[in-house]
Amino acid sequence: MSRTRRATPSTGSAITSSPWVVVAIGVIVMVVLLVVALGSVRGRRTFPASPTDPAMSLPELPTATATSPSVTGGPPSTAGRPVVPGLSPRSTVLPARPTPAVSTGGPRGEVRPAPLSPPPPPPAPPSAVTGRYAVVSSFDGGFIGEVRLVNAGGAAHGWTVRLTFPQGRLVTAWVEGAEQGTFGFDGGVVTYRSGVDLAAGASVPVRFHLERTGTTRPESCAVDGVTCAGL
């Protein structure tokens, strides 16, 4: 009886028949190579270490002053210039104009301020003619009033009498025993102006016939702007 020998499968045929074994072996080899490469890279530096670069220092620019022109050729900068309260450096408000000056015409061309305007003249003194108001007579619907004028000055003076009533009308007016003047009535105001000046020390009555005034007492009475007595 002949002995038959069973053929055992070889290692190469086993690997060929099982492709996943080949893939696993390849993966293991790649992992090992990757670990070895990482270890060698960490053990040495690829590039030499460079010294720390010093910080770059920039040149200092000159500070702009009030008299230095700007870079663009514009007007001088206003930096450092005191600012007037209430006005911006670019304000368009013009400064106040100085007092005009005039040249004296001297050899050196001296300039002096223009002279100020003269002060107003003093007010005129009050008239020497004064008046006193009184009622001569009254009747139903009207009355006759009187302003007695006296010139206490040393020279003759003209005069003007004014009476004001709230209502009514003027019938007539006259100067008793002297040359007549002119009179009028407008807006409740009776006005009588002298025809001739009143002599120094003289006295004369000016009388008025008024109706429907409602009162015999005027709201105002004046001779040349001076209030009459007797009110």
Side-chain angles (χ1 to χ4, degrees):
M1 175 176 171
S2 62
R3 180 179 293 179
T4 9
R5 191 175 182 179
R6 180 179 297 178
T8 60
S10 62
T11 304
S13 60
I15 292 174
T16 304
S17 60
S18 300
W20 61 270
V21 176
V22 177
V23 174
I25 292 172
V27 171
I28 293 171
V29 173
M30 291 179 64
V31 171
V32 172
L33 293 176
L34 181 61
V35 171
V36 173
L38 291 175
S40 63
V41 171
R42 289 181 179 179
R44 60 190 180 90
R45 292 183 177 180
T46 305
F47 302 101
S50 59
T52 304
D53 295 335
M56 182 181 296
S57 61
L58 298 176
E60 296 184 358
L61 298 177
T63 304
T65 60
T67 57
S68 60
S70 62
V71 177
T72 58
S77 172
T78 57
R81 184 179 300 174
V83 180
V84 180
L87 294 178
S88 65
R90 298 178 180 271
S91 175
T92 58
V93 179
L94 298 178
R97 294 183 177 180
T99 304
V102 294
S103 175
T104 58
R108 296 186 180 181
E110 297 179 358
V111 177
R112 295 181 181 178
L116 300 177
S117 58
S127 174
V129 180
T130 59
R132 174 178 290 273
Y133 178 80
V135 177
V136 177
S137 62
S138 59
F139 42 87
D140 188 16
F143 73 98
I144 295 176
E146 174 186 277
V147 176
R148 181 167 292 274
L149 304 175
V150 176
N151 183 2
H157 286 279
W159 46 266
T160 300
V161 177
R162 284 186 175 86
L163 298 170
T164 304
F165 288 90
Q167 60 184 359
R169 72 184 187 92
L170 176 66
V171 178
T172 187
W174 68 97
V175 179
E176 190 73 23
E179 186 173 347
Q180 305 301 305
T182 59
F183 63 89
F185 184 75
D186 185 16
V189 179
V190 181
T191 304
Y192 199 109
R193 292 181 175 86
S194 59
V196 294
D197 294 345
L198 185 61
S203 176
V204 64
V206 181
R207 294 182 177 176
F208 308 88
H209 180 188
L210 294 155
E211 292 183 347
R212 297 192 296 272
T213 57
T215 178
T216 59
R217 181 185 178 89
E219 292 181 347
S220 65
C221 173
V223 178
D224 294 337
V226 179
T227 302
C228 301
L231 295 178

